[in-house]
Amino acid sequence: MRAALAPLIIFGLALSGAAQAEGQAAPAVFKACQSCHSLDPAKAGMAGPHLAALNGRALGSAEGFDYSPAFKAAKAQGLVWDRERLLGYLADPDEIVPGGWMSPPAGLSTADRAALADYLLKQ
Ligand code: HEC
């Protein structure tokens, strides 16, 4: 099922957020994330892990991505992504996963972070 949906998601992203992947358009600020992250689990070689099915997903669990020791430790602790944790991570990654590799996303307002979290948790 997921493999069958992937081309649709890529197609949706190609339309630069105009397409309704799962019924919700990508917020414009997601463009900045896409230089490092894909929503397609099959897409390898990005600087960051794929962000598909993030809701309830264990931290550091995208198959095939070589995470920092900090993310490996978070996964071993059994931490999972939910809205609150994702909002915290987007505001200050180091506060949620101390010593991880992602820099704090620049220039995001509180509303941007909320829109991003809502969008990503539905993918
Ligand atoms: C310059 C590259 C880069 C950009 C831009 C970037 N990230 Fe990341 N992101 C990473 C890397 C690298 C990791 C893995 C960190 C680690 O292993 O410590 C990561 C990890 C994550 C994770 C954890 C995923 C998991 O598997 O647990 C989330 C969620 C995330 N990023 C969201 C975002 C969002 C949303 C944006 C846009 C606002 C963004 N990132 C922008 C590089 C980036």
Side-chain angles (χ1 to χ4, degrees):
M1 184 65 176
R2 190 168 292 169
L5 279 175
L8 288 176
I9 292 171
I10 295 169
F11 180 66
L13 292 174
L15 291 178
S16 69
Q20 305 282 301
E22 306 285 347
Q24 196 190 355
V29 283
F30 185 57
K31 283 220 177 70
C33 321
Q34 287 177 287
S35 53
C36 295
H37 293 287
S38 171
L39 289 173
D40 178 2
K43 189 163 180 201
M46 306 277 294
H50 77 75
L51 299 179
L54 210 55
N55 201 355
R57 187 172 113 179
L59 271 68
S61 65
E63 214 174 306
F65 186 80
D66 193 16
Y67 288 92
S68 63
F71 258 90
K72 288 176 180 157
K75 183 185 180 193
Q77 279 172 46
L79 299 184
V80 300
W81 288 113
D82 57 20
R83 192 169 192 274
E84 195 184 342
R85 188 161 278 143
L86 187 53
L87 286 174
Y89 188 73
L90 295 177
D92 182 2
D94 237 24
E95 197 183 305
I96 303 297
V97 186
W101 290 332
M102 189 173 115
S103 311
L108 294 184
S109 67
T110 306
D112 289 339
R113 289 194 292 271
L116 264 175
D118 288 342
Y119 175 69
L120 287 172
L121 291 172
K122 284 184 183 147
Q123 301 308 304

